[in-house]
């Protein structure tokens, strides 16, 4: 069945460091891919999305490219800030957005 | 504009009891999905409702059932509660499934 695997955390970085959180997926058909973020004490928020191969989603300095050949959707940011400390979830949905699968989450800690 | 709201915030139930959780979608949204999130895990898809019908279901037993009302609000019912049902239950609304907005969740504890 469809599934998402993301790197385990926690990931601890210093401010202004480069961030990569790996995400790979298994899916039939042509899924859409998402990154969600959960800040401390808050609910899940959509960070970025990509609906077809080679699409790049971007928001708040974060980017992820839908790579069909490697079944990956890695999250990157060139320079992290303390305020980026949160749990990041990779997710996929079927073509019609009827069913969603989430990874287990990666906690990011950014130190000043 | 109110976002997705869920009630109650917290709930404590005894094994074997039944529970009903409620969700009001964001204004303009017509689709509601429910998720179970165990501590330290990602959300697990339970089911999705659209036009008052269950459109898709995850790998959850029939003890989990739901309903969507004409105003698009939704309920999640869980019968014969087990200790393993203790989790955060999340509701997400969207317009026909695309770009989900999540509520704050209901924390269910089964003792």
């Amino acid at each position: 069945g469809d599934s998402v695997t993301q790197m385990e955390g926690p990931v601890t970085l210093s401010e202004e460091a480069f961030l990569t959180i790996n995400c790979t997926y298994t899916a039939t058909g042509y899924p859409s891919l998402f990154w969600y973020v959960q800040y401390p004490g808050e609910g899940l928020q959509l960070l970025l999305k990509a609906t077809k191969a080679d699409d790049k989603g971007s928001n708040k300095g974060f980017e992820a490219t839908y790579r069909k050949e490697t079944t990956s959707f890695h999250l990157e940011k060139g320079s992290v800030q303390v305020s980026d400390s949160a749990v990041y979830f990779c997710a996929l949905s079927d073509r019609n957005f009827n069913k969603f699968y989430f990874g287990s989450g990666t906690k990011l800690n950014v130190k000043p | 504009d109110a976002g997705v709201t869920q009630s109650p915030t917290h709930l404590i139930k005894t094994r074997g009891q039944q529970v009903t959780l409620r969700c009001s979608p964001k204004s303009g949204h017509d689709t509601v999905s429910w998720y179970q999130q165990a501590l330290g895990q990602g959300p697990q898809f339970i089911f999705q409702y659209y036009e008052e019908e269950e459109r898709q279901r995850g790998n959850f037993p029939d003890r989990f059932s739901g309903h969507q009302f004409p105003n698009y609000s939704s309920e999640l019912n869980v019968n014969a509660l087990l200790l393993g049902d203790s989790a955060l239950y999340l509701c997400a609304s969207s317009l026909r499934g695309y770009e989900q907005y999540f509520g704050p969740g209901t924390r269910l504890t089964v003792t």
Side-chain angles (χ1 to χ4, degrees):
Chain A
D2 294 4
S3 66
V4 173
T5 303
Q6 59 183 107
M7 63 187 287
E8 289 193 18
V11 174
T12 300
L13 296 173
S14 296
E15 207 164 21
E16 298 184 2
F18 185 86
L19 169 71
T20 299
I21 300 178
N22 291 336
C23 171
T24 58
Y25 67 90
T26 301
T28 54
Y30 303 93
S32 292
L33 301 173
F34 306 83
W35 277 101
Y36 282 82
V37 59
Q38 188 168 36
Y39 297 104
E42 298 185 18
L44 276 164
Q45 303 174 27
L46 178 64
L47 180 60
L48 54 83
K49 60 186 181 291
T51 57
K52 61 183 187 297
D54 299 324
D55 268 3
K56 178 185 281 188
S58 61
N59 186 24
K60 299 181 180 180
F62 291 89
E63 293 182 340
T65 301
Y66 187 150
R67 301 285 188 201
K68 193 170 187 296
E69 63 275 13
T70 55
T71 61
S72 65
F73 193 55
H74 304 321
L75 182 67
E76 297 182 335
K77 187 175 185 183
S79 177
V80 294
Q81 306 300 310
V82 172
S83 58
D84 294 327
S85 298
V87 181
Y88 292 82
F89 293 92
C90 185
L92 71 82
S93 75
D94 62 4
R95 195 65 171 162
N96 298 315
F97 314 109
N98 292 346
K99 197 168 183 179
F100 286 76
Y101 299 87
F102 280 77
S104 56
T106 302
K107 185 172 184 179
L108 171 65
N109 295 316
V110 181
K111 299 186 299 183
Chain B
D1 174 27
V4 180
T5 60
Q6 293 186 242
S7 62
T9 306
H10 296 89
L11 204 51
I12 300 175
K13 289 287 190 178
T14 303
R15 191 172 45 185
Q17 286 187 318
Q18 179 263 344
V19 69
T20 297
L21 310 181
R22 295 176 176 82
C23 171
S24 291
K26 182 177 168 64
S27 178
H29 286 182
D30 59 5
T31 304
V32 172
S33 300
W34 285 93
Y35 295 83
Q36 180 193 68
Q37 187 177 19
L39 203 59
Q41 298 297 314
Q44 299 294 311
F45 177 80
I46 303 175
F47 40 54
Q48 184 182 85
Y49 275 84
Y50 172 69
E51 291 189 339
E52 301 180 50
E53 299 226 342
E54 184 182 292
R55 183 158 66 173
Q56 192 62 265
R57 189 178 183 93
N59 190 24
F60 279 80
D62 291 345
R63 297 187 298 109
F64 289 77
S65 63
H67 189 77
Q68 186 179 34
F69 299 93
N71 66 353
Y72 306 116
S73 66
S74 177
E75 288 182 349
L76 164 65
N77 301 293
V78 187
N79 293 323
L81 284 167
L82 303 174
L83 296 179
D85 295 331
S86 294
L88 181 67
Y89 288 85
L90 296 169
C91 168
S93 75
S94 60
L95 186 60
R96 296 183 191 85
Y98 187 67
E99 192 158 343
Q100 297 185 104
Y101 287 75
F102 281 82
T106 293
R107 173 72 62 187
L108 173 65
T109 302
V110 182
T111 61

